[in-house]
């Protein structure tokens, strides 16, 4: 894992960022007609974040498997609505707009030329890679994502916060435990249980029927976590009302598996990748060639300047 270091480690939820770049940046095409709006936007996002936060280390965390089979085995509905085709022995094919799909290899090519660290783990999502880096890092961490699930990693004491980009990189919010408490009336360490209880349609997570944000927060305030909630529901002399008790007991099968699906992995062995940001692109000639080939000279120049300025 990353050695002790001054400064901060920035972890990018890469797919979250390039999806937002694709949908947020107007269509732009390379000289050969290939769309490159996601490439341009993604590079500019990195430039802005590096310029604003000046991290010493940065990792572009990757989805080697966007829908791991072990999660599907536990909860078959998990991301099922996004599947275009199932594959045996390989990750299922996700519904991705064609004009975006062709840009992902270009993004990887440019990141390699710059010498930026890209890390994925077979059988795991980028969220799990982020969770493992954040939990094992020996320096403060900024997690860049538009995914609320990663709020579960916020840890003020360890210096782990989320830069939440749901409203755009330029309007991102710094998520700390106080932010989570103000928004959801729970602590960040309870967020995974909160998401399990209320559900999340975007991930195919049904939640406990009849339990929304307010009830989920109230139950967690009173009983601490899902294990405490289940125990209280099972106790005939416990201090849980008949309405919530019935809902929790009826969802016993779901609650037996969903917490494992929602919790991000924190213990993946990621070896010791070179996370330190380079002072300039490691392959200047290749960066220039890619800039010209794909018509992305300006974003490439901005990212180069951001690195040089560190």
């Amino acid at each position: 894992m990353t050695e002790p270091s001054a400064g901060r480690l920035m972890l990018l939820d890469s797919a979250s960022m390039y999806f937002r770049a694709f949908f947020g940046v107007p269509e732009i095409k390379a000289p050969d007609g290939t769309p490159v709006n996601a490439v341009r936007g993604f590079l500019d996002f990195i430039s802005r974040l590096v310029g604003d936060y000046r991290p010493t280390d940065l990792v572009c965390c990757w989805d080697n498997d966007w829908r791991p089979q072990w999660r599907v085995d536990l909860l078959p509905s998990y991301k099922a609505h996004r599947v275009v085709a199932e594959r045996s022995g390989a990750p299922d094919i996700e519904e991705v707009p064609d004009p975006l799909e062709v840009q992902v290899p270009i993004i990887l090519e440019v990141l390699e030329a710059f010498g930026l660290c890209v890390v994925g783990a077979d059988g795991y999502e980028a969220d799990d890679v982020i969770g493992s880096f954040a939990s094992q890092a020996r320096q403060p961490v900024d997690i860049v994502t538009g995914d609320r699930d990663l709020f579960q990693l916020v840890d003020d004491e360890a210096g782990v916060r989320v830069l939440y980009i749901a409203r755009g990189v330029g309007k991102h919010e710094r998520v700390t435990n106080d932010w989570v408490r103000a928004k959801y009336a729970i602590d960040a360490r309870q967020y995974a249980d909160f998401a399990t209880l209320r559900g999340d349609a975007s991930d195919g997570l049904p939640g406990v029927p009849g339990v929304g944000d307010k009830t989920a927060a109230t139950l967690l305030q009173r009983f601490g976590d899902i294990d405490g909630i289940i125990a209280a529901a099972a106790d005939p002399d416990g201090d849980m009302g008949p309405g919530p008790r019935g809902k929790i007991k009826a969802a016993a099968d779901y609650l037996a598996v969903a917490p494992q699906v929602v919790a991000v992995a924190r213990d993946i062995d990621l070896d010791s990748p070179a996370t330190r940001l380079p002072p300039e692109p490691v392959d200047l000639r290749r960066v220039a060639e890619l800039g010209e080939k794909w018509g992305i000279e300006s974003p490439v120049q901005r990212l180069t300047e951001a690195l040089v300025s560190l």
Side-chain angles (χ1 to χ4, degrees):
M1 269 310 304
T2 307
E3 290 299 316
S5 171
R8 298 186 73 88
L9 168 64
M10 180 170 282
L11 303 172
L12 306 184
D13 185 353
S14 301
S16 176
M17 291 175 66
Y18 63 63
F19 265 92
R20 276 166 174 76
F22 175 74
F23 288 108
V25 177
E27 184 180 70
I28 304 169
K29 293 188 176 180
D32 69 354
T34 302
V36 291
N37 58 326
V39 182
R40 295 179 66 97
F42 187 71
L43 295 178
D44 279 340
F45 289 169
I46 297 175
S47 300
R48 179 160 189 165
L49 290 161
V50 167
D52 287 351
Y53 289 94
R54 304 181 70 80
T56 52
D57 299 77
L58 182 143
V59 182
C60 300
C61 300
W62 218 258
D63 277 324
N64 278 21
D65 191 340
W66 69 280
R67 188 175 182 247
Q69 188 60 46
W70 61 270
R71 282 194 167 103
V72 177
D73 289 343
L74 289 166
L75 191 67
S77 65
Y78 182 66
K79 295 185 178 180
H81 58 295
R82 301 191 211 169
V83 177
V84 172
E86 295 184 353
R87 295 191 294 181
S88 178
D92 293 336
I93 299 174
E94 183 180 13
E95 183 178 9
V96 178
D98 290 343
L100 171 57
E101 190 169 11
V102 299
Q103 298 184 62
V104 176
I106 301 171
I107 291 171
L108 282 168
E109 194 174 26
V110 176
L111 293 175
E112 180 182 12
F114 267 98
L116 300 185
C117 183
V118 178
V119 178
D122 290 345
Y124 292 96
E125 301 174 52
D127 285 8
D128 301 308
V129 176
I130 290 169
S132 296
F133 268 113
S135 299
Q136 299 172 39
R138 300 172 68 181
Q139 63 190 123
V141 176
D142 285 330
I143 298 166
V144 182
T145 184
D147 185 352
R148 294 177 299 178
D149 288 346
L150 292 175
F151 293 170
Q152 65 187 275
L153 296 172
V154 168
D155 185 335
D156 291 357
E157 190 171 317
V160 179
R161 64 187 179 187
V162 166
L163 306 181
Y164 186 47
I165 61 169
R167 296 193 300 154
V169 170
K171 298 179 180 178
H172 71 268
E173 299 173 87
R174 297 179 188 176
V175 178
T176 62
N177 192 65
D178 284 347
W179 189 99
V180 174
R181 285 201 63 82
K183 182 79 171 178
Y184 301 108
I186 56 167
D187 287 318
R189 62 179 174 77
Q190 297 172 299
Y191 189 84
D193 284 350
F194 176 76
T196 297
L197 289 165
R198 73 162 186 196
D200 186 343
S202 68
D203 281 340
L205 196 69
V208 176
V211 173
D213 286 21
K214 186 174 181 180
T215 301
T218 299
L219 289 171
L220 288 167
Q221 290 162 10
R222 294 182 63 196
F223 304 110
D225 56 22
I226 281 181
D227 286 344
I229 292 169
I230 292 172
D235 181 358
D237 299 319
D239 186 27
M240 183 181 288
R245 183 190 301 273
K247 292 168 184 174
I248 295 299
K249 293 177 76 171
D253 290 345
Y254 166 76
L255 291 174
V257 296
Q260 301 167 67
V261 175
V262 177
V264 301
R266 297 173 183 248
D267 57 358
I268 303 173
D269 183 0
L270 298 169
D271 297 321
S272 298
T275 62
R276 187 58 58 103
L277 274 172
E280 64 178 11
V282 297
D283 191 339
L284 283 166
R285 187 171 75 172
R286 183 63 177 150
V287 165
E289 289 172 350
L290 292 170
E292 183 177 359
K293 177 180 180 180
W294 300 113
I296 55 172
E297 292 96 338
S298 295
V300 160
Q301 181 62 28
R302 285 190 286 270
L303 182 51
T304 300
E305 291 172 354
L307 294 177
V308 171
S309 70
L310 290 175

